[in-house]
Amino acid sequence: MFDALIIGGGVSSVSCALILGSACKKTFAEHKKIGIIAHQKASSLQNAVFNNAYGVSKGKLGSELLIETTEQLKELYPHVEQIEDEKVLRIVKQTSAFLIETNKKKYTSKIVVIGIGAGNPFTIEGLENYIIPHKKAATEKNRIQLKNEDHLVDEGIYAIGVLAGHRSQLSIAAGSGASAATDILTIWNDGKPVQVHDAVNK
Ligand SMILES: Cc1cc2nc3c(=O)[nH]c(=O)nc-3n(C[C@H](O)[C@H](O)[C@H](O)COP(=O)(O)OP(=O)(O)OC[C@H]3O[C@@H](n4cnc5c(N)ncnc54)[C@H](O)[C@@H]3O)c2cc1C
């Protein structure tokens, strides 16, 4: 049973995983089981090149970021389980958790964070009630989002990145995943606000 399972291996999802992973030294998070279904084939990053994303060096290829960010996650926060080569097909709400079915396995998690982009049709069964037209994408693109309030779709379900209704920019998607992660950490910390900072030793 995961405490939090992130679905997607693109910008918002890996950003969320990095922040959740980075809280490992905090008492309230040290025993939490965190996972990410790091499917990357359908990421917007595959064909992108970046010149306008804060902190990303000019000309950076999205295909490089896909590799480097999951390697960074593995190196710094190996306790975050990375599940590769699996695609989520269905999410089923159970009494106190969610059942997440992929094309290969089944997982359970208390919290699910979904960052699979705004493609239409939505490829995960079980969340139909939350799908609405994307509020910030051009109508002719026919994108969708999940209805949410500050990323919270329903108890235990978060949408992040463009799926949360944000415009498609790397910095926005990364910030969205980070924002949801700090909200989850705050819940784990009994409602006391959390941020995770590293500082240069003095
Ligand atoms: C060609 C192109 C150029 C771009 N250029 C720029 C730019 O110059 N500057 C800028 O700021 N932004 C740019 N963007 C936008 C930026 O890449 C996106 O805004 C950002 O990637 C969105 O992040 P996300 O996490 O919402 O989605 P993504 O990064 O697309 O991640 C979604 C992830 O979900 C996975 N997934 C999908 N379905 C499933 C499933 N059923 N189960 C599990 N995983 C699944 C995908 O494989 C993917 O890894 C560009 C986008 C494109 C397409």
Side-chain angles (χ1 to χ4, degrees), residues 7-13 37 39-45 47-52 86-88 115-117 123-124 160-163 168-171 173:
I7 301 171
V11 178
S12 59
S13 300
I37 300 186
H39 181 279
Q40 295 191 318
K41 275 190 209 132
S43 175
S44 297
L45 291 183
N47 297 313
V49 56
F50 293 96
N51 295 298
N52 62 359
E86 291 185 40
K87 186 172 182 168
V88 174
I116 68 162
T123 53
I124 301 178
I160 54 175
V162 286
L163 182 64
S168 177
Q169 295 287 165
L170 183 146
S171 317

PDB file of all heavy atoms in Angstrom, residues 7-13 37 39-45 47-52 86-88 115-117 123-124 160-163 168-171 173, ligand 1:
ATOM      1  N   ILE A   7       0.942   9.479 -10.802  1.00  0.00           N
ATOM      2  CA  ILE A   7       0.734   8.841 -12.108  1.00  0.00           C
ATOM      3  C   ILE A   7       1.195   9.784 -13.208  1.00  0.00           C
ATOM      4  O   ILE A   7       0.654  10.883 -13.362  1.00  0.00           O
ATOM      5  CB  ILE A   7      -0.748   8.460 -12.284  1.00  0.00           C
ATOM      6  CG1 ILE A   7      -1.163   7.492 -11.167  1.00  0.00           C
ATOM      7  CG2 ILE A   7      -0.981   7.841 -13.659  1.00  0.00           C
ATOM      8  CD1 ILE A   7      -2.639   7.212 -11.115  1.00  0.00           C
ATOM      9  N   GLY A   8       2.203   9.353 -13.969  1.00  0.00           N
ATOM     10  CA  GLY A   8       2.773  10.161 -15.035  1.00  0.00           C
ATOM     11  C   GLY A   8       4.263  10.368 -14.792  1.00  0.00           C
ATOM     12  O   GLY A   8       4.705  10.411 -13.641  1.00  0.00           O
ATOM     13  N   GLY A   9       5.019  10.466 -15.888  1.00  0.00           N
ATOM     14  CA  GLY A   9       6.472  10.641 -15.751  1.00  0.00           C
ATOM     15  C   GLY A   9       6.969  11.908 -16.414  1.00  0.00           C
ATOM     16  O   GLY A   9       8.132  12.017 -16.791  1.00  0.00           O
ATOM     17  N   GLY A  10       6.044  12.896 -16.566  1.00  0.00           N
ATOM     18  CA  GLY A  10       6.427  14.158 -17.198  1.00  0.00           C
ATOM     19  C   GLY A  10       6.746  15.232 -16.172  1.00  0.00           C
ATOM     20  O   GLY A  10       7.113  14.939 -15.028  1.00  0.00           O
ATOM     21  N   VAL A  11       6.569  16.484 -16.585  1.00  0.00           N
ATOM     22  CA  VAL A  11       7.030  17.625 -15.779  1.00  0.00           C
ATOM     23  C   VAL A  11       6.364  17.675 -14.406  1.00  0.00           C
ATOM     24  O   VAL A  11       7.034  17.686 -13.369  1.00  0.00           O
ATOM     25  CB  VAL A  11       6.747  18.955 -16.533  1.00  0.00           C
ATOM     26  CG1 VAL A  11       7.165  20.136 -15.684  1.00  0.00           C
ATOM     27  CG2 VAL A  11       7.453  18.965 -17.874  1.00  0.00           C
ATOM     28  N   SER A  12       5.031  17.734 -14.386  1.00  0.00           N
ATOM     29  CA  SER A  12       4.347  17.942 -13.104  1.00  0.00           C
ATOM     30  C   SER A  12       4.546  16.752 -12.174  1.00  0.00           C
ATOM     31  O   SER A  12       4.742  16.920 -10.966  1.00  0.00           O
ATOM     32  CB  SER A  12       2.851  18.195 -13.333  1.00  0.00           C
ATOM     33  OG  SER A  12       2.239  17.112 -14.000  1.00  0.00           O
ATOM     34  N   SER A  13       4.531  15.551 -12.723  1.00  0.00           N
ATOM     35  CA  SER A  13       4.616  14.345 -11.892  1.00  0.00           C
ATOM     36  C   SER A  13       5.988  14.194 -11.248  1.00  0.00           C
ATOM     37  O   SER A  13       6.098  13.915 -10.049  1.00  0.00           O
ATOM     38  CB  SER A  13       4.319  13.098 -12.734  1.00  0.00           C
ATOM     39  OG  SER A  13       3.037  13.191 -13.281  1.00  0.00           O
ATOM     40  N   ILE A  37       4.418   6.178 -11.175  1.00  0.00           N
ATOM     41  CA  ILE A  37       4.305   5.374 -12.401  1.00  0.00           C
ATOM     42  C   ILE A  37       4.844   6.259 -13.514  1.00  0.00           C
ATOM     43  O   ILE A  37       4.143   7.117 -14.053  1.00  0.00           O
ATOM     44  CB  ILE A  37       2.857   4.909 -12.627  1.00  0.00           C
ATOM     45  CG1 ILE A  37       2.446   4.049 -11.413  1.00  0.00           C
ATOM     46  CG2 ILE A  37       2.741   4.129 -13.945  1.00  0.00           C
ATOM     47  CD1 ILE A  37       1.116   3.378 -11.496  1.00  0.00           C
ATOM     48  N   HIS A  39       5.549   6.678 -16.583  1.00  0.00           N
ATOM     49  CA  HIS A  39       5.315   6.463 -18.019  1.00  0.00           C
ATOM     50  C   HIS A  39       5.722   7.744 -18.752  1.00  0.00           C
ATOM     51  O   HIS A  39       5.307   8.839 -18.375  1.00  0.00           O
ATOM     52  CB  HIS A  39       3.822   6.164 -18.215  1.00  0.00           C
ATOM     53  CG  HIS A  39       3.417   5.904 -19.621  1.00  0.00           C
ATOM     54  ND1 HIS A  39       3.189   6.916 -20.535  1.00  0.00           N
ATOM     55  CD2 HIS A  39       3.186   4.748 -20.281  1.00  0.00           C
ATOM     56  CE1 HIS A  39       2.833   6.387 -21.695  1.00  0.00           C
ATOM     57  NE2 HIS A  39       2.822   5.065 -21.566  1.00  0.00           N
ATOM     58  N   GLN A  40       6.552   7.641 -19.795  1.00  0.00           N
ATOM     59  CA  GLN A  40       7.060   8.860 -20.443  1.00  0.00           C
ATOM     60  C   GLN A  40       6.788   8.936 -21.946  1.00  0.00           C
ATOM     61  O   GLN A  40       7.030   9.975 -22.557  1.00  0.00           O
ATOM     62  CB  GLN A  40       8.569   8.981 -20.201  1.00  0.00           C
ATOM     63  CG  GLN A  40       8.913   9.179 -18.723  1.00  0.00           C
ATOM     64  CD  GLN A  40      10.345   9.566 -18.506  1.00  0.00           C
ATOM     65  OE1 GLN A  40      11.229   9.004 -19.146  1.00  0.00           O
ATOM     66  NE2 GLN A  40      10.583  10.493 -17.598  1.00  0.00           N
ATOM     67  N   LYS A  41       6.299   7.844 -22.504  1.00  0.00           N
ATOM     68  CA  LYS A  41       6.136   7.813 -23.980  1.00  0.00           C
ATOM     69  C   LYS A  41       5.256   8.946 -24.497  1.00  0.00           C
ATOM     70  O   LYS A  41       5.472   9.468 -25.575  1.00  0.00           O
ATOM     71  CB  LYS A  41       5.506   6.479 -24.392  1.00  0.00           C
ATOM     72  CG  LYS A  41       6.535   5.386 -24.563  1.00  0.00           C
ATOM     73  CD  LYS A  41       5.889   4.161 -25.208  1.00  0.00           C
ATOM     74  CE  LYS A  41       6.632   2.921 -24.752  1.00  0.00           C
ATOM     75  NZ  LYS A  41       5.799   1.849 -24.290  1.00  0.00           N
ATOM     76  N   ALA A  42       4.222   9.306 -23.717  1.00  0.00           N
ATOM     77  CA  ALA A  42       3.259  10.294 -24.208  1.00  0.00           C
ATOM     78  C   ALA A  42       3.522  11.694 -23.660  1.00  0.00           C
ATOM     79  O   ALA A  42       2.656  12.556 -23.707  1.00  0.00           O
ATOM     80  CB  ALA A  42       1.843   9.843 -23.837  1.00  0.00           C
ATOM     81  N   SER A  43       4.741  11.941 -23.139  1.00  0.00           N
ATOM     82  CA  SER A  43       5.014  13.262 -22.554  1.00  0.00           C
ATOM     83  C   SER A  43       5.165  14.333 -23.626  1.00  0.00           C
ATOM     84  O   SER A  43       5.794  14.100 -24.665  1.00  0.00           O
ATOM     85  CB  SER A  43       6.277  13.221 -21.705  1.00  0.00           C
ATOM     86  OG  SER A  43       6.586  14.523 -21.259  1.00  0.00           O
ATOM     87  N   SER A  44       4.666  15.527 -23.312  1.00  0.00           N
ATOM     88  CA  SER A  44       4.875  16.686 -24.188  1.00  0.00           C
ATOM     89  C   SER A  44       6.370  16.963 -24.346  1.00  0.00           C
ATOM     90  O   SER A  44       6.791  17.611 -25.295  1.00  0.00           O
ATOM     91  CB  SER A  44       4.227  17.932 -23.582  1.00  0.00           C
ATOM     92  OG  SER A  44       2.862  17.765 -23.496  1.00  0.00           O
ATOM     93  N   LEU A  45       7.158  16.507 -23.397  1.00  0.00           N
ATOM     94  CA  LEU A  45       8.601  16.778 -23.448  1.00  0.00           C
ATOM     95  C   LEU A  45       9.300  16.074 -24.602  1.00  0.00           C
ATOM     96  O   LEU A  45      10.372  16.504 -25.031  1.00  0.00           O
ATOM     97  CB  LEU A  45       9.271  16.313 -22.141  1.00  0.00           C
ATOM     98  CG  LEU A  45       8.946  17.103 -20.883  1.00  0.00           C
ATOM     99  CD1 LEU A  45       9.747  16.556 -19.710  1.00  0.00           C
ATOM    100  CD2 LEU A  45       9.262  18.566 -21.070  1.00  0.00           C
ATOM    101  N   ASN A  47       9.094  16.036 -27.733  1.00  0.00           N
ATOM    102  CA  ASN A  47       9.469  16.828 -28.911  1.00  0.00           C
ATOM    103  C   ASN A  47       9.757  18.288 -28.602  1.00  0.00           C
ATOM    104  O   ASN A  47       9.858  19.106 -29.509  1.00  0.00           O
ATOM    105  CB  ASN A  47       8.344  16.773 -29.959  1.00  0.00           C
ATOM    106  CG  ASN A  47       8.142  15.364 -30.457  1.00  0.00           C
ATOM    107  OD1 ASN A  47       9.106  14.677 -30.781  1.00  0.00           O
ATOM    108  ND2 ASN A  47       6.906  14.924 -30.467  1.00  0.00           N
ATOM    109  N   ALA A  48       9.881  18.614 -27.335  1.00  0.00           N
ATOM    110  CA  ALA A  48      10.018  20.025 -26.960  1.00  0.00           C
ATOM    111  C   ALA A  48      11.481  20.432 -26.819  1.00  0.00           C
ATOM    112  O   ALA A  48      12.355  19.604 -26.527  1.00  0.00           O
ATOM    113  CB  ALA A  48       9.280  20.269 -25.640  1.00  0.00           C
ATOM    114  N   VAL A  49      11.727  21.750 -27.045  1.00  0.00           N
ATOM    115  CA  VAL A  49      13.039  22.331 -26.755  1.00  0.00           C
ATOM    116  C   VAL A  49      12.778  23.609 -25.961  1.00  0.00           C
ATOM    117  O   VAL A  49      11.835  24.337 -26.261  1.00  0.00           O
ATOM    118  CB  VAL A  49      13.863  22.568 -28.045  1.00  0.00           C
ATOM    119  CG1 VAL A  49      13.125  23.437 -29.042  1.00  0.00           C
ATOM    120  CG2 VAL A  49      15.218  23.160 -27.731  1.00  0.00           C
ATOM    121  N   PHE A  50      13.589  23.826 -24.916  1.00  0.00           N
ATOM    122  CA  PHE A  50      13.253  24.893 -23.965  1.00  0.00           C
ATOM    123  C   PHE A  50      14.261  26.038 -23.970  1.00  0.00           C
ATOM    124  O   PHE A  50      15.470  25.804 -23.864  1.00  0.00           O
ATOM    125  CB  PHE A  50      13.133  24.306 -22.554  1.00  0.00           C
ATOM    126  CG  PHE A  50      11.961  23.384 -22.434  1.00  0.00           C
ATOM    127  CD1 PHE A  50      12.123  22.005 -22.581  1.00  0.00           C
ATOM    128  CD2 PHE A  50      10.683  23.884 -22.247  1.00  0.00           C
ATOM    129  CE1 PHE A  50      11.027  21.160 -22.518  1.00  0.00           C
ATOM    130  CE2 PHE A  50       9.582  23.033 -22.182  1.00  0.00           C
ATOM    131  CZ  PHE A  50       9.757  21.674 -22.314  1.00  0.00           C
ATOM    132  N   ASN A  51      13.715  27.252 -24.086  1.00  0.00           N
ATOM    133  CA  ASN A  51      14.510  28.471 -23.968  1.00  0.00           C
ATOM    134  C   ASN A  51      13.909  29.433 -22.954  1.00  0.00           C
ATOM    135  O   ASN A  51      14.519  30.444 -22.634  1.00  0.00           O
ATOM    136  CB  ASN A  51      14.589  29.193 -25.322  1.00  0.00           C
ATOM    137  CG  ASN A  51      15.339  28.345 -26.339  1.00  0.00           C
ATOM    138  OD1 ASN A  51      16.515  28.042 -26.159  1.00  0.00           O
ATOM    139  ND2 ASN A  51      14.656  27.950 -27.403  1.00  0.00           N
ATOM    140  N   ASN A  52      12.702  29.130 -22.465  1.00  0.00           N
ATOM    141  CA  ASN A  52      11.992  30.113 -21.642  1.00  0.00           C
ATOM    142  C   ASN A  52      11.526  29.557 -20.305  1.00  0.00           C
ATOM    143  O   ASN A  52      10.569  30.052 -19.715  1.00  0.00           O
ATOM    144  CB  ASN A  52      10.788  30.675 -22.420  1.00  0.00           C
ATOM    145  CG  ASN A  52       9.764  29.592 -22.765  1.00  0.00           C
ATOM    146  OD1 ASN A  52       9.958  28.420 -22.446  1.00  0.00           O
ATOM    147  ND2 ASN A  52       8.677  29.991 -23.401  1.00  0.00           N
ATOM    148  N   GLU A  86       4.824   0.968 -17.465  1.00  0.00           N
ATOM    149  CA  GLU A  86       3.431   0.616 -17.158  1.00  0.00           C
ATOM    150  C   GLU A  86       2.564   1.846 -17.395  1.00  0.00           C
ATOM    151  O   GLU A  86       2.983   2.968 -17.146  1.00  0.00           O
ATOM    152  CB  GLU A  86       3.289   0.153 -15.705  1.00  0.00           C
ATOM    153  CG  GLU A  86       3.950  -1.182 -15.465  1.00  0.00           C
ATOM    154  CD  GLU A  86       3.728  -1.723 -14.058  1.00  0.00           C
ATOM    155  OE1 GLU A  86       2.604  -1.588 -13.542  1.00  0.00           O
ATOM    156  OE2 GLU A  86       4.692  -2.265 -13.502  1.00  0.00           O
ATOM    157  N   LYS A  87       1.362   1.581 -17.867  1.00  0.00           N
ATOM    158  CA  LYS A  87       0.412   2.648 -18.157  1.00  0.00           C
ATOM    159  C   LYS A  87      -0.828   2.418 -17.313  1.00  0.00           C
ATOM    160  O   LYS A  87      -1.319   1.282 -17.247  1.00  0.00           O
ATOM    161  CB  LYS A  87       0.074   2.579 -19.653  1.00  0.00           C
ATOM    162  CG  LYS A  87      -0.780   3.683 -20.123  1.00  0.00           C
ATOM    163  CD  LYS A  87      -0.918   3.656 -21.631  1.00  0.00           C
ATOM    164  CE  LYS A  87      -1.764   4.840 -22.022  1.00  0.00           C
ATOM    165  NZ  LYS A  87      -1.793   5.142 -23.398  1.00  0.00           N
ATOM    166  N   VAL A  88      -1.333   3.442 -16.677  1.00  0.00           N
ATOM    167  CA  VAL A  88      -2.516   3.259 -15.833  1.00  0.00           C
ATOM    168  C   VAL A  88      -3.769   3.184 -16.708  1.00  0.00           C
ATOM    169  O   VAL A  88      -3.966   4.002 -17.611  1.00  0.00           O
ATOM    170  CB  VAL A  88      -2.634   4.401 -14.802  1.00  0.00           C
ATOM    171  CG1 VAL A  88      -3.934   4.300 -14.013  1.00  0.00           C
ATOM    172  CG2 VAL A  88      -1.443   4.382 -13.857  1.00  0.00           C
ATOM    173  N   GLY A 115      -0.940  13.306 -13.229  1.00  0.00           N
ATOM    174  CA  GLY A 115      -0.351  14.351 -14.078  1.00  0.00           C
ATOM    175  C   GLY A 115      -0.120  13.830 -15.475  1.00  0.00           C
ATOM    176  O   GLY A 115       1.004  13.835 -15.972  1.00  0.00           O
ATOM    177  N   ILE A 116      -1.190  13.391 -16.107  1.00  0.00           N
ATOM    178  CA  ILE A 116      -1.012  12.705 -17.407  1.00  0.00           C
ATOM    179  C   ILE A 116      -1.319  13.602 -18.609  1.00  0.00           C
ATOM    180  O   ILE A 116      -1.457  13.125 -19.725  1.00  0.00           O
ATOM    181  CB  ILE A 116      -1.838  11.406 -17.490  1.00  0.00           C
ATOM    182  CG1 ILE A 116      -3.337  11.702 -17.522  1.00  0.00           C
ATOM    183  CG2 ILE A 116      -1.485  10.460 -16.339  1.00  0.00           C
ATOM    184  CD1 ILE A 116      -4.160  10.511 -18.036  1.00  0.00           C
ATOM    185  N   GLY A 117      -1.410  14.899 -18.385  1.00  0.00           N
ATOM    186  CA  GLY A 117      -1.660  15.793 -19.512  1.00  0.00           C
ATOM    187  C   GLY A 117      -3.145  15.916 -19.822  1.00  0.00           C
ATOM    188  O   GLY A 117      -3.984  15.251 -19.210  1.00  0.00           O
ATOM    189  N   THR A 123      -7.416   8.815 -20.756  1.00  0.00           N
ATOM    190  CA  THR A 123      -7.138   7.380 -20.941  1.00  0.00           C
ATOM    191  C   THR A 123      -7.315   6.531 -19.671  1.00  0.00           C
ATOM    192  O   THR A 123      -7.073   5.329 -19.700  1.00  0.00           O
ATOM    193  CB  THR A 123      -5.702   7.190 -21.466  1.00  0.00           C
ATOM    194  OG1 THR A 123      -4.803   7.880 -20.591  1.00  0.00           O
ATOM    195  CG2 THR A 123      -5.553   7.713 -22.874  1.00  0.00           C
ATOM    196  N   ILE A 124      -7.716   7.144 -18.563  1.00  0.00           N
ATOM    197  CA  ILE A 124      -7.866   6.361 -17.323  1.00  0.00           C
ATOM    198  C   ILE A 124      -9.347   6.247 -16.970  1.00  0.00           C
ATOM    199  O   ILE A 124     -10.032   7.261 -16.797  1.00  0.00           O
ATOM    200  CB  ILE A 124      -7.088   7.012 -16.159  1.00  0.00           C
ATOM    201  CG1 ILE A 124      -5.595   7.116 -16.504  1.00  0.00           C
ATOM    202  CG2 ILE A 124      -7.290   6.208 -14.872  1.00  0.00           C
ATOM    203  CD1 ILE A 124      -4.756   7.803 -15.432  1.00  0.00           C
ATOM    204  N   ILE A 160      -2.611  17.449 -11.440  1.00  0.00           N
ATOM    205  CA  ILE A 160      -1.502  18.404 -11.533  1.00  0.00           C
ATOM    206  C   ILE A 160      -1.157  18.655 -13.005  1.00  0.00           C
ATOM    207  O   ILE A 160      -1.563  17.897 -13.887  1.00  0.00           O
ATOM    208  CB  ILE A 160      -0.250  17.903 -10.754  1.00  0.00           C
ATOM    209  CG1 ILE A 160       0.157  16.493 -11.205  1.00  0.00           C
ATOM    210  CG2 ILE A 160      -0.487  17.946  -9.263  1.00  0.00           C
ATOM    211  CD1 ILE A 160       1.456  15.993 -10.575  1.00  0.00           C
ATOM    212  N   GLY A 161      -0.390  19.730 -13.249  1.00  0.00           N
ATOM    213  CA  GLY A 161       0.018  20.050 -14.613  1.00  0.00           C
ATOM    214  C   GLY A 161      -1.145  20.532 -15.454  1.00  0.00           C
ATOM    215  O   GLY A 161      -2.126  21.082 -14.939  1.00  0.00           O
ATOM    216  N   VAL A 162      -1.068  20.308 -16.759  1.00  0.00           N
ATOM    217  CA  VAL A 162      -2.151  20.800 -17.630  1.00  0.00           C
ATOM    218  C   VAL A 162      -3.471  20.093 -17.332  1.00  0.00           C
ATOM    219  O   VAL A 162      -4.548  20.652 -17.552  1.00  0.00           O
ATOM    220  CB  VAL A 162      -1.795  20.702 -19.139  1.00  0.00           C
ATOM    221  CG1 VAL A 162      -0.789  21.766 -19.526  1.00  0.00           C
ATOM    222  CG2 VAL A 162      -1.301  19.351 -19.536  1.00  0.00           C
ATOM    223  N   LEU A 163      -3.405  18.893 -16.786  1.00  0.00           N
ATOM    224  CA  LEU A 163      -4.637  18.171 -16.418  1.00  0.00           C
ATOM    225  C   LEU A 163      -5.404  18.890 -15.311  1.00  0.00           C
ATOM    226  O   LEU A 163      -6.606  18.692 -15.141  1.00  0.00           O
ATOM    227  CB  LEU A 163      -4.293  16.736 -15.980  1.00  0.00           C
ATOM    228  CG  LEU A 163      -5.478  15.850 -15.617  1.00  0.00           C
ATOM    229  CD1 LEU A 163      -6.374  15.611 -16.834  1.00  0.00           C
ATOM    230  CD2 LEU A 163      -5.018  14.527 -15.035  1.00  0.00           C
ATOM    231  N   SER A 168      -0.255  25.300 -20.801  1.00  0.00           N
ATOM    232  CA  SER A 168       0.853  24.385 -21.054  1.00  0.00           C
ATOM    233  C   SER A 168       2.188  25.135 -21.135  1.00  0.00           C
ATOM    234  O   SER A 168       2.596  25.575 -22.209  1.00  0.00           O
ATOM    235  CB  SER A 168       0.578  23.618 -22.353  1.00  0.00           C
ATOM    236  OG  SER A 168       1.680  22.796 -22.635  1.00  0.00           O
ATOM    237  N   GLN A 169       2.836  25.285 -20.002  1.00  0.00           N
ATOM    238  CA  GLN A 169       4.206  25.821 -19.918  1.00  0.00           C
ATOM    239  C   GLN A 169       4.936  24.986 -18.875  1.00  0.00           C
ATOM    240  O   GLN A 169       4.370  24.657 -17.818  1.00  0.00           O
ATOM    241  CB  GLN A 169       4.220  27.282 -19.457  1.00  0.00           C
ATOM    242  CG  GLN A 169       3.589  28.261 -20.395  1.00  0.00           C
ATOM    243  CD  GLN A 169       4.374  28.578 -21.668  1.00  0.00           C
ATOM    244  OE1 GLN A 169       3.792  29.126 -22.566  1.00  0.00           O
ATOM    245  NE2 GLN A 169       5.642  28.234 -21.778  1.00  0.00           N
ATOM    246  N   LEU A 170       6.196  24.699 -19.169  1.00  0.00           N
ATOM    247  CA  LEU A 170       6.973  23.842 -18.261  1.00  0.00           C
ATOM    248  C   LEU A 170       6.967  24.371 -16.827  1.00  0.00           C
ATOM    249  O   LEU A 170       6.718  23.627 -15.880  1.00  0.00           O
ATOM    250  CB  LEU A 170       8.411  23.712 -18.779  1.00  0.00           C
ATOM    251  CG  LEU A 170       9.320  22.785 -17.968  1.00  0.00           C
ATOM    252  CD1 LEU A 170      10.316  22.081 -18.863  1.00  0.00           C
ATOM    253  CD2 LEU A 170      10.079  23.528 -16.879  1.00  0.00           C
ATOM    254  N   SER A 171       7.242  25.679 -16.670  1.00  0.00           N
ATOM    255  CA  SER A 171       7.372  26.219 -15.300  1.00  0.00           C
ATOM    256  C   SER A 171       6.060  26.096 -14.531  1.00  0.00           C
ATOM    257  O   SER A 171       6.071  25.854 -13.323  1.00  0.00           O
ATOM    258  CB  SER A 171       7.766  27.696 -15.329  1.00  0.00           C
ATOM    259  OG  SER A 171       8.750  27.909 -16.281  1.00  0.00           O
ATOM    260  N   ALA A 173       3.690  23.798 -15.043  1.00  0.00           N
ATOM    261  CA  ALA A 173       3.454  22.379 -14.724  1.00  0.00           C
ATOM    262  C   ALA A 173       4.331  21.938 -13.550  1.00  0.00           C
ATOM    263  O   ALA A 173       3.867  21.243 -12.635  1.00  0.00           O
ATOM    264  CB  ALA A 173       3.732  21.517 -15.953  1.00  0.00           C
TER     265      ALA A 173
HETATM  266  C1  LIG B   1       6.393  20.403 -28.983  1.00  0.00           C
HETATM  267  C2  LIG B   1       6.241  21.094 -27.656  1.00  0.00           C
HETATM  268  C3  LIG B   1       7.037  22.179 -27.353  1.00  0.00           C
HETATM  269  C4  LIG B   1       6.916  22.821 -26.120  1.00  0.00           C
HETATM  270  N1  LIG B   1       7.701  23.907 -25.853  1.00  0.00           N
HETATM  271  C5  LIG B   1       7.588  24.554 -24.658  1.00  0.00           C
HETATM  272  C6  LIG B   1       8.385  25.683 -24.381  1.00  0.00           C
HETATM  273  O1  LIG B   1       9.190  26.133 -25.212  1.00  0.00           O
HETATM  274  N2  LIG B   1       8.264  26.265 -23.166  1.00  0.00           N
HETATM  275  C7  LIG B   1       7.378  25.805 -22.207  1.00  0.00           C
HETATM  276  O2  LIG B   1       7.334  26.359 -21.110  1.00  0.00           O
HETATM  277  N3  LIG B   1       6.593  24.738 -22.467  1.00  0.00           N
HETATM  278  C8  LIG B   1       6.669  24.107 -23.662  1.00  0.00           C
HETATM  279  N4  LIG B   1       5.881  23.023 -23.927  1.00  0.00           N
HETATM  280  C9  LIG B   1       4.867  22.615 -22.929  1.00  0.00           C
HETATM  281  C10 LIG B   1       5.393  21.703 -21.802  1.00  0.00           C
HETATM  282  O3  LIG B   1       6.155  20.648 -22.321  1.00  0.00           O
HETATM  283  C11 LIG B   1       4.167  21.156 -21.057  1.00  0.00           C
HETATM  284  O4  LIG B   1       3.428  22.259 -20.561  1.00  0.00           O
HETATM  285  C12 LIG B   1       4.499  20.238 -19.907  1.00  0.00           C
HETATM  286  O5  LIG B   1       5.236  19.108 -20.354  1.00  0.00           O
HETATM  287  C13 LIG B   1       3.207  19.776 -19.239  1.00  0.00           C
HETATM  288  O6  LIG B   1       3.525  18.960 -18.155  1.00  0.00           O
HETATM  289  P1  LIG B   1       2.509  17.832 -17.624  1.00  0.00           P
HETATM  290  O7  LIG B   1       3.169  17.208 -16.471  1.00  0.00           O
HETATM  291  O8  LIG B   1       1.174  18.425 -17.457  1.00  0.00           O
HETATM  292  O9  LIG B   1       2.399  16.809 -18.847  1.00  0.00           O
HETATM  293  P2  LIG B   1       3.546  15.943 -19.532  1.00  0.00           P
HETATM  294  O10 LIG B   1       4.893  16.523 -19.294  1.00  0.00           O
HETATM  295  O11 LIG B   1       3.118  15.778 -20.946  1.00  0.00           O
HETATM  296  O12 LIG B   1       3.481  14.569 -18.748  1.00  0.00           O
HETATM  297  C14 LIG B   1       2.399  13.697 -18.865  1.00  0.00           C
HETATM  298  C15 LIG B   1       2.910  12.289 -18.574  1.00  0.00           C
HETATM  299  O13 LIG B   1       1.849  11.389 -18.345  1.00  0.00           O
HETATM  300  C16 LIG B   1       2.182  10.156 -18.981  1.00  0.00           C
HETATM  301  N5  LIG B   1       0.940   9.421 -19.214  1.00  0.00           N
HETATM  302  C17 LIG B   1      -0.014   9.654 -20.135  1.00  0.00           C
HETATM  303  N6  LIG B   1      -1.018   8.763 -20.008  1.00  0.00           N
HETATM  304  C18 LIG B   1      -0.689   7.965 -18.955  1.00  0.00           C
HETATM  305  C19 LIG B   1      -1.328   6.852 -18.326  1.00  0.00           C
HETATM  306  N7  LIG B   1      -2.532   6.391 -18.722  1.00  0.00           N
HETATM  307  N8  LIG B   1      -0.694   6.255 -17.267  1.00  0.00           N
HETATM  308  C20 LIG B   1       0.505   6.714 -16.831  1.00  0.00           C
HETATM  309  N9  LIG B   1       1.147   7.774 -17.411  1.00  0.00           N
HETATM  310  C21 LIG B   1       0.549   8.378 -18.445  1.00  0.00           C
HETATM  311  C22 LIG B   1       2.918  10.578 -20.244  1.00  0.00           C
HETATM  312  O14 LIG B   1       3.691   9.524 -20.818  1.00  0.00           O
HETATM  313  C23 LIG B   1       3.756  11.738 -19.702  1.00  0.00           C
HETATM  314  O15 LIG B   1       5.000  11.309 -19.201  1.00  0.00           O
HETATM  315  C24 LIG B   1       5.985  22.357 -25.167  1.00  0.00           C
HETATM  316  C25 LIG B   1       5.171  21.253 -25.474  1.00  0.00           C
HETATM  317  C26 LIG B   1       5.299  20.640 -26.699  1.00  0.00           C
HETATM  318  C27 LIG B   1       4.399  19.458 -27.026  1.00  0.00           C
END
